[in-house]
Amino acid sequence: MIKLDAINALDRAGFVARLGNIYEHAPWVAEAAHSFGPFSTVAALFAALVQAVCNASDAQRLALIAGHPELGDKLALAKPLTTESQSEQQGAGLDQLSGAEFDIFTRLNRAYRDKFTFPFIICVRRHSKDSILAGFQKRLEHDRETEIQAALAEIDRIAALRIGGLVAGDATLKLDGQVSTHVLDTHGGTPAVGVAISLHELSRLAPPRLIARSLSNADGRTDAPLIAGKPVPIGQYEMRFEMGPYFAARGIASAKPPFLETVPVRFGVADPEAHYHVPLLVTPWSYTTYRGR
Amino acid sequence: MIKLDAINALDRAGFVARLGNIYEHAPWVAEAAHSFGPFSTVAALFAALVQAVCNASDAQRLALIAGHPELGDKLALAKPLTTESQSEQQGAGLDQLSGAEFDIFTRLNRAYRDKFTFPFIICVRRHSKDSILAGFQKRLEHDRETEIQAALAEIDRIAALRIGGLVAGDATLKLDGQVSTHVLDTHGGTPAVGVAISLHELSRLAPPRLIARSLSNADGRTDAPLIAGKPVPIGQYEMRFEMGPYFAARGIASAKPPFLETVPVRFGVADPEAHYHVPLLVTPWSYTTYRGR
Amino acid sequence: MIKLDAINALDRAGFVARLGNIYEHAPWVAEAAHSFGPFSTVAALFAALVQAVCNASDAQRLALIAGHPELGDKLALAKPLTTESQSEQQGAGLDQLSGAEFDIFTRLNRAYRDKFTFPFIICVRRHSKDSILAGFQKRLEHDRETEIQAALAEIDRIAALRIGGLVAGDATLKLDGQVSTHVLDTHGGTPAVGVAISLHELSRLAPPRLIARSLSNADGRTDAPLIAGKPVPIGQYEMRFEMGPYFAARGIASAKPPFLETVPVRFGVADPEAHYHVPLLVTPWSYTTYRGR
Amino acid sequence: MIKLDAINALDRAGFVARLGNIYEHAPWVAEAAHSFGPFSTVAALFAALVQAVCNASDAQRLALIAGHPELGDKLALAKPLTTESQSEQQGAGLDQLSGAEFDIFTRLNRAYRDKFTFPFIICVRRHSKDSILAGFQKRLEHDRETEIQAALAEIDRIAALRIGGLVAGDATLKLDGQVSTHVLDTHGGTPAVGVAISLHELSRLAPPRLIARSLSNADGRTDAPLIAGKPVPIGQYEMRFEMGPYFAARGIASAKPPFLETVPVRFGVADPEAHYHVPLLVTPWSYTTYRGR
């Protein structure tokens, strides 16, 4: 991480050397943004980059779009990807596609390029595989002008996350979401301590994928949120609470199998920068869950 | 179905012809029970059969046990199975085992027979594949005397269900359990009408298996219980409520994806003859479920 | 109760003798309605009476309105009240007014008569003291024509309830509401048996008034609904569940005082002919209540 | 407030001047405790005072008990009460007794003194009027030795609170409890903002007494807890949530009166130093409440 002050102290060449990769294969964006400095906040720095893209010609913007890699195209891995986009595509599991998934993505990529002549761009860190697919399907129906705007908006989102990961500053860029929980044992009237909790990403194409695993602490919360410090990918999730072992450890008699063993709570995330607090109020015979705060 | 009066009117030979298969390959049980008639209730008829087994010699009882087919042994399908036990074994999906499952069952069957010299007997209509496996593992630890008692108890349960299916009478044999639900829309303060509901049997060895599917009616209930008129197999279940389409149809604005789309409620059944009423009180942002009445 | 057939068999004079009091001091309504008979349902009989009022002249309708007693005017008790309206006014406690309440009612009665020249008419069996007061205040703002319609609508409601109490027939007149409950012990996973439950009518002017008292039975329900077989007066209610003694009797250790002792559930009734089912799902540390079915 | 360092810097005379009133009319306690100083924590200072009482003779301890004022005896107000005990007795409303209450307290005071020869002592800041009465009744059944111990325990509790109010230091004396809430609108999936909330102390002898009043903020919480910074008096409470105006302001159509207008949540406090977090999850048709964290 570089401090904002250090960024502000750079000359144009140093600035471009540092921030040239924020926009994929387009160091000219950083170069143009340098003139707007110095920047009082990270958000102001980001706004300058966005403005630089805005001030460019249509041809430059199309070139910016065209410079992005094909999404999920494994063959593309041989091409010169920036390190940033490589690690981003791993996030959504795009480098671990099954054969069937690979075929679907390849087909959609081709259809998209055939229609628009540029690659499909999406800020993958804000998405799950399923929501990328949904995005493909929806955006294929756009006309070209709408889709150029959509691609640029995604490029800006990618840039914002890259800046957030590079420049240490204030929290003026709101880039993070959160998934958290709280388990209350309403049989005993206490926080439920020591409950095994796991979070899984669901997919129509593939089995659930384990995202995080934790134990509830003395407050019935997890020591750290299940997801924090990054966007929560748009998608479907399932939180699982292992209540059977918890109530057994408390010595509460139950039949075999108990009425509640694993409690699954399935929920959708539509806003990657929001806080999804999903508590559980639970007895051996009942539970309540809700979107909380 | 035969009426109890008609059973009572039979002479010994007719009685044995009708009820000789109630105990597998052991018409002598019916023959001995005939002396206790006439029977005022179906439960009294059943008690007479149980008593006949009880009055028999140890050797006869062992022969009764030994006369039962190997459970889940596909090779056994070639052997002369009674029609009754054939259709019962289909219920738990024992005729649709995967290769891995088949290996496990075969290994357990062999271990059981090696230890006890008679086949493993369990009333499959009261069990899921998973609980049969759990039963195998637990009962393999028994000593021989305990296990003879366990086998006879299962044989009696099988006989009770066969009688219940054959003799029409009063409801003096309590053989049925029930799974039902009720969906209340606490956003609108009304029953939730037209919610798609499905019930799945879960298994550690295999994917969920669809058991029943229904739509909630004007009362928020299903027209018929999801399971009724038979034991509810011991096991793990998941009821799924398609709340996304329901709230969308009510015109309630929501993000994409909505917070709640499919609501899964997972519960264990330990008592096949009990009523498992599992209601859902639900808004687009919260729900409560419990074992009710 | 008279059977509808017996009503249909009456000649005009007999019909008027029987039904002349359905409309207060207005036997002419029954007389005119007789021509529409015979009646296939009680609802058809009622519709004929409503039609007869409708066919009358404005002067007749005004006389009908003017023939009603002042509401809650104790001095009026000396005047010739029909037996029907006497017992109805007792229902809402209008014969048990405190001095302050009496003053308020008297003032409103006078203001109403001064403005409209006829007495304030309301179907008291569908109202609590508080909702009668609210009705007074709202209807005092009407113009005369609106209020004549309002008075006639109330007169029809009074007539419907009188017919329902007099003529035995089908249930084609929907005149009854219901208040019921169901207590589930989600600590134990069973119905809560033996819980003392009481229902109170609340009032801004007076202390809560006990309406009904019951014990939950083996199903967690009361043997009879708390209110049934009549309209549920529009108003505010509080149902009270004595959970402290219940959980103590179950042997659940608790502090002194316990977290939950009496659980009050306060709810409003706006529709006297509706079913208000208000269940309680309760542990020693939590509860859920809702308008159910 | 005095800092602990300043206390430690005092000589014996100064120490007694400052802390002589911590134990009612018993400066000798402070005098004896001074020898144990200096004190590293406020808890250590308090422990020294307790130890000093412990080291005293039976006669001294009896004199300490006897030096306390009669509880709730208005006539006693003329006697030389320390300022500390005067303000403490106001807390529980003991200076605002009705005639009937005064009679009861006077009778119990007399019975207690007749039996034990010393006055009834209770740490009133940890109690409501009702729990003081309950304490009277229970402790009247004690034998004298048990009651001497009970009185000394209460005297220590009084002393702890006095020290906590006098000496600024760390939080090593755990003297405070808390009552707080959180309102979640599970109809809208958001915190319920702007809900009027009030907290009332209930009593068998008197009408509810308003303790605190607040509005929920943007998080659905109150800016400050409803009770904090002091013990929560043992007793019965009712929290009231004005949900009718809240849902009306959100534009949710409802009948008149709405199903939920004021939602009362009644709960008992048994542990004055505990945190009673009592959230509400609420729609216009349902709510859930529980003891949370």
Side-chain angles (χ1 to χ4, degrees):
Chain A
M1 300 283 281
I2 319 167
K3 292 203 171 167
L4 184 59
D5 286 351
I7 294 285
N8 279 326
L10 293 170
D11 63 9
R12 184 177 305 262
F15 189 85
V16 172
R18 272 311 204 174
L19 303 180
N21 269 344
I22 295 293
Y23 281 78
E24 188 91 2
H25 296 308
W28 59 264
V29 179
E31 192 163 0
H34 184 257
S35 323
F36 299 118
F39 307 102
S40 55
T41 63
V42 181
L45 166 57
F46 174 59
L49 291 160
V50 171
Q51 189 59 47
V53 174
C54 199
N55 293 348
S57 68
D58 286 356
Q60 274 176 306
R61 278 201 293 271
L62 265 182
L64 173 64
I65 294 173
H68 280 73
E70 297 283 344
L71 184 86
D73 184 351
K74 286 183 176 173
L75 300 179
L77 292 177
K79 291 184 194 165
L81 273 180
T82 57
T83 311
E84 279 86 349
S85 91
Q86 213 169 348
S87 78
E88 285 159 6
Q89 300 209 2
Q90 283 162 0
L94 293 180
D95 59 341
Q96 301 162 11
L97 298 179
S98 68
E101 291 173 335
F102 180 78
D103 287 350
I104 294 173
F105 273 102
T106 304
R107 204 157 11 90
L108 287 166
N109 254 338
R110 201 164 302 150
Y112 188 92
R113 177 175 280 282
D114 285 352
K115 174 162 184 186
F116 297 114
T117 71
F118 48 77
F120 177 73
I121 302 172
I122 194 165
C123 178
V124 292
R125 285 165 68 188
R126 298 177 77 252
H127 286 273
S128 61
K129 251 187 294 184
D130 275 33
S131 73
I132 291 173
L133 270 186
F136 249 132
Q137 274 144 2
K138 188 179 151 205
R139 285 169 57 186
L140 264 169
E141 296 169 11
H142 286 171
D143 60 31
R144 193 159 191 270
E145 192 45 44
T146 303
E147 197 48 28
I148 287 171
Q149 298 312 316
L152 290 170
E154 291 297 321
I155 287 171
D156 285 340
R157 282 174 173 145
I158 294 167
L161 285 167
R162 288 178 177 179
I163 290 217
L166 187 68
V167 185
D170 37 57
T172 47
L173 280 177
K174 170 69 186 140
L175 302 168
D176 301 344
Q178 202 173 110
V179 174
S180 61
T181 188
H182 193 185
V183 195
L184 271 298
D185 172 353
T186 46
H187 181 279
T190 62
V193 183
V195 177
I197 301 166
S198 58
L199 180 68
H200 306 259
E201 185 189 306
L202 304 184
S203 162
R204 283 198 195 103
L205 302 169
R209 191 160 70 97
L210 178 68
I211 301 283
R213 192 192 277 282
S214 191
L215 275 185
S216 61
N217 61 21
D219 279 339
R221 303 178 189 270
T222 56
D223 287 339
L226 294 163
I227 297 182
K230 56 171 196 162
V232 183
I234 294 170
Q236 293 282 348
Y237 295 84
E238 192 168 283
M239 223 184 261
R240 294 185 193 150
F241 302 87
E242 303 303 329
M243 299 316 304
Y246 168 80
F247 284 119
R250 270 198 55 213
I252 296 169
S254 76
K256 301 213 163 157
F259 183 64
L260 295 183
E261 178 84 44
T262 298
V263 170
V265 175
R266 206 174 281 185
F267 62 96
V269 165
D271 179 358
E273 286 79 31
H275 182 178
Y276 286 80
H277 185 55
V278 185
L280 188 75
L281 316 176
V282 60
T283 80
W285 303 99
S286 66
Y287 58 91
T288 293
T289 189
Y290 57 99
R291 179 156 184 201
R293 273 291 164 109
Chain B
M1 300 283 279
I2 318 165
K3 292 203 169 165
L4 185 59
D5 286 351
I7 294 284
N8 280 326
L10 294 169
D11 62 9
R12 183 175 308 262
F15 190 84
V16 173
R18 272 311 206 173
L19 304 179
N21 269 343
I22 295 292
Y23 281 79
E24 189 91 2
H25 296 309
W28 59 263
V29 180
E31 192 162 1
H34 183 257
S35 323
F36 299 118
F39 307 102
S40 55
T41 62
V42 181
L45 166 59
F46 173 60
L49 291 160
V50 171
Q51 189 60 45
V53 174
C54 199
N55 292 350
S57 68
D58 286 356
Q60 275 175 306
R61 278 201 293 271
L62 265 181
L64 172 63
I65 293 174
H68 279 73
E70 297 283 344
L71 183 86
D73 185 350
K74 287 183 176 173
L75 300 178
L77 292 177
K79 292 184 193 165
L81 273 181
T82 58
T83 311
E84 280 85 349
S85 91
Q86 214 170 343
S87 77
E88 285 159 4
Q89 299 208 5
Q90 283 163 359
L94 294 179
D95 58 341
Q96 300 162 10
L97 298 179
S98 69
E101 291 172 335
F102 180 78
D103 288 350
I104 294 173
F105 273 101
T106 304
R107 205 158 8 93
L108 288 166
N109 253 340
R110 201 166 300 149
Y112 187 93
R113 177 175 281 281
D114 285 351
K115 174 161 183 187
F116 297 113
T117 71
F118 48 77
F120 177 74
I121 302 171
I122 193 165
C123 177
V124 293
R125 285 166 67 187
R126 298 177 75 253
H127 286 273
S128 61
K129 252 187 294 184
D130 275 31
S131 73
I132 291 173
L133 269 185
F136 249 131
Q137 273 145 4
K138 188 178 152 206
R139 286 169 57 186
L140 264 169
E141 295 167 13
H142 286 170
D143 60 32
R144 192 159 193 272
E145 193 45 43
T146 304
E147 197 48 27
I148 286 171
Q149 298 312 316
L152 290 170
E154 291 296 322
I155 287 171
D156 285 341
R157 283 174 172 145
I158 293 166
L161 284 167
R162 288 178 179 181
I163 290 217
L166 188 67
V167 185
D170 38 56
T172 49
L173 279 177
K174 167 70 186 140
L175 301 167
D176 300 343
Q178 202 172 111
V179 173
S180 61
T181 189
H182 192 185
V183 195
L184 272 299
D185 172 352
T186 46
H187 180 280
T190 62
V193 183
V195 176
I197 301 166
S198 58
L199 181 68
H200 306 259
E201 185 188 308
L202 304 184
S203 163
R204 282 199 195 101
L205 301 169
R209 191 160 69 97
L210 179 67
I211 302 283
R213 191 192 278 283
S214 191
L215 275 186
S216 61
N217 60 22
D219 279 339
R221 303 178 189 270
T222 56
D223 285 340
L226 294 163
I227 297 182
K230 58 172 194 162
V232 183
I234 294 170
Q236 293 282 349
Y237 295 84
E238 192 168 281
M239 222 183 263
R240 294 184 193 151
F241 301 87
E242 304 304 330
M243 299 315 305
Y246 168 79
F247 284 119
R250 269 198 57 214
I252 296 170
S254 76
K256 301 214 163 161
F259 184 64
L260 296 182
E261 178 84 43
T262 298
V263 170
V265 174
R266 207 174 280 185
F267 61 96
V269 165
D271 178 357
E273 286 79 31
H275 183 178
Y276 286 80
H277 184 56
V278 185
L280 188 74
L281 317 176
V282 60
T283 79
W285 303 99
S286 66
Y287 58 91
T288 292
T289 188
Y290 58 99
R291 179 156 185 201
R293 273 294 165 108
Chain C
M1 301 282 281
I2 319 165
K3 292 204 170 164
L4 185 59
D5 286 352
I7 294 285
N8 279 326
L10 294 170
D11 64 9
R12 183 175 308 262
F15 190 85
V16 172
R18 273 309 205 175
L19 303 180
N21 268 344
I22 295 293
Y23 282 77
E24 190 91 2
H25 296 311
W28 59 265
V29 179
E31 193 163 359
H34 182 257
S35 323
F36 300 118
F39 307 102
S40 55
T41 63
V42 181
L45 165 59
F46 174 60
L49 291 160
V50 171
Q51 188 61 45
V53 174
C54 199
N55 293 349
S57 69
D58 287 355
Q60 275 175 306
R61 278 201 294 272
L62 264 182
L64 172 63
I65 293 173
H68 279 73
E70 297 283 345
L71 183 86
D73 184 351
K74 287 181 175 174
L75 300 179
L77 291 177
K79 292 185 192 165
L81 272 180
T82 57
T83 312
E84 279 86 348
S85 92
Q86 214 168 345
S87 77
E88 285 159 5
Q89 300 211 2
Q90 283 163 359
L94 293 180
D95 59 340
Q96 300 162 11
L97 297 179
S98 70
E101 291 173 333
F102 179 79
D103 288 350
I104 293 173
F105 274 102
T106 305
R107 204 157 8 92
L108 287 166
N109 253 339
R110 200 165 303 149
Y112 187 93
R113 176 175 281 283
D114 286 352
K115 174 160 182 186
F116 298 113
T117 71
F118 48 77
F120 177 73
I121 303 171
I122 193 166
C123 178
V124 293
R125 286 165 67 188
R126 299 176 75 253
H127 286 273
S128 61
K129 252 188 292 184
D130 275 32
S131 72
I132 292 173
L133 270 186
F136 250 132
Q137 273 145 3
K138 187 178 151 205
R139 285 169 56 186
L140 263 168
E141 296 168 11
H142 286 171
D143 60 32
R144 194 159 192 271
E145 192 47 42
T146 304
E147 197 49 26
I148 287 172
Q149 298 313 316
L152 289 170
E154 292 296 321
I155 287 171
D156 285 340
R157 283 174 172 145
I158 294 166
L161 284 166
R162 288 179 178 179
I163 289 217
L166 188 67
V167 185
D170 38 56
T172 47
L173 279 177
K174 168 71 186 138
L175 301 167
D176 300 344
Q178 203 172 110
V179 174
S180 61
T181 188
H182 192 187
V183 195
L184 271 299
D185 172 353
T186 46
H187 181 279
T190 62
V193 183
V195 175
I197 301 166
S198 58
L199 180 68
H200 306 258
E201 185 188 307
L202 304 185
S203 162
R204 283 200 195 100
L205 302 169
R209 192 161 68 97
L210 179 67
I211 302 282
R213 192 191 278 281
S214 191
L215 274 185
S216 61
N217 61 22
D219 280 337
R221 303 177 189 271
T222 56
D223 285 340
L226 295 162
I227 297 181
K230 58 170 194 163
V232 183
I234 294 170
Q236 293 282 348
Y237 295 84
E238 191 168 282
M239 222 184 263
R240 294 184 193 151
F241 302 86
E242 303 304 329
M243 298 316 306
Y246 168 79
F247 284 118
R250 269 198 55 213
I252 296 169
S254 76
K256 300 211 167 166
F259 184 65
L260 296 183
E261 179 84 43
T262 298
V263 169
V265 174
R266 206 173 281 183
F267 62 96
V269 165
D271 178 359
E273 286 80 30
H275 183 178
Y276 286 80
H277 184 56
V278 185
L280 188 73
L281 316 177
V282 60
T283 80
W285 303 100
S286 66
Y287 58 91
T288 293
T289 189
Y290 57 99
R291 180 157 184 201
R293 273 292 164 109
Chain D
M1 300 281 282
I2 319 166
K3 293 204 168 164
L4 184 59
D5 285 351
I7 295 285
N8 279 327
L10 295 170
D11 63 9
R12 184 176 308 263
F15 189 85
V16 173
R18 273 309 205 174
L19 304 180
N21 268 344
I22 295 292
Y23 282 78
E24 189 90 2
H25 297 307
W28 58 265
V29 180
E31 191 160 2
H34 183 257
S35 323
F36 299 119
F39 307 102
S40 56
T41 63
V42 181
L45 166 58
F46 173 60
L49 292 160
V50 170
Q51 189 60 46
V53 174
C54 198
N55 293 349
S57 69
D58 286 356
Q60 275 176 304
R61 278 201 294 272
L62 264 182
L64 173 63
I65 293 173
H68 279 72
E70 296 283 345
L71 184 84
D73 185 350
K74 286 182 177 173
L75 300 179
L77 291 177
K79 291 185 194 164
L81 271 180
T82 58
T83 311
E84 279 86 350
S85 92
Q86 215 168 344
S87 77
E88 285 159 6
Q89 300 208 4
Q90 283 163 358
L94 294 178
D95 59 341
Q96 301 162 10
L97 298 179
S98 69
E101 291 173 333
F102 180 78
D103 288 351
I104 294 173
F105 273 101
T106 304
R107 204 157 11 90
L108 287 166
N109 253 340
R110 200 166 301 148
Y112 187 94
R113 175 174 283 281
D114 286 353
K115 174 161 183 187
F116 298 113
T117 71
F118 47 78
F120 177 73
I121 302 172
I122 193 166
C123 178
V124 292
R125 285 165 67 187
R126 299 177 75 253
H127 286 273
S128 61
K129 252 187 293 184
D130 274 33
S131 73
I132 292 172
L133 270 185
F136 250 132
Q137 274 144 2
K138 188 179 152 205
R139 286 169 55 185
L140 264 169
E141 296 168 11
H142 285 170
D143 61 31
R144 193 160 192 271
E145 193 46 43
T146 303
E147 197 49 26
I148 287 172
Q149 297 313 315
L152 289 170
E154 291 297 322
I155 287 171
D156 285 341
R157 283 173 172 145
I158 294 166
L161 285 167
R162 288 179 179 179
I163 290 217
L166 189 67
V167 185
D170 38 56
T172 48
L173 280 177
K174 168 71 188 139
L175 301 168
D176 300 343
Q178 202 172 110
V179 174
S180 60
T181 189
H182 192 185
V183 195
L184 271 299
D185 172 354
T186 46
H187 181 279
T190 62
V193 183
V195 175
I197 301 165
S198 58
L199 181 68
H200 306 259
E201 185 188 308
L202 304 185
S203 162
R204 282 199 196 100
L205 302 169
R209 191 161 68 98
L210 179 67
I211 302 282
R213 191 191 279 281
S214 191
L215 275 186
S216 61
N217 60 22
D219 279 339
R221 304 177 188 272
T222 57
D223 285 341
L226 294 162
I227 297 182
K230 58 171 195 162
V232 183
I234 294 170
Q236 293 282 348
Y237 295 84
E238 192 168 282
M239 223 184 263
R240 294 184 193 151
F241 301 87
E242 303 304 330
M243 298 317 304
Y246 167 80
F247 284 119
R250 269 198 55 213
I252 297 169
S254 76
K256 301 215 164 159
F259 183 64
L260 296 182
E261 178 83 44
T262 298
V263 169
V265 175
R266 207 174 280 186
F267 61 96
V269 165
D271 178 357
E273 287 79 31
H275 182 177
Y276 286 80
H277 185 55
V278 185
L280 188 74
L281 316 177
V282 60
T283 79
W285 303 99
S286 66
Y287 58 91
T288 293
T289 188
Y290 58 99
R291 178 155 186 204
R293 273 292 165 108

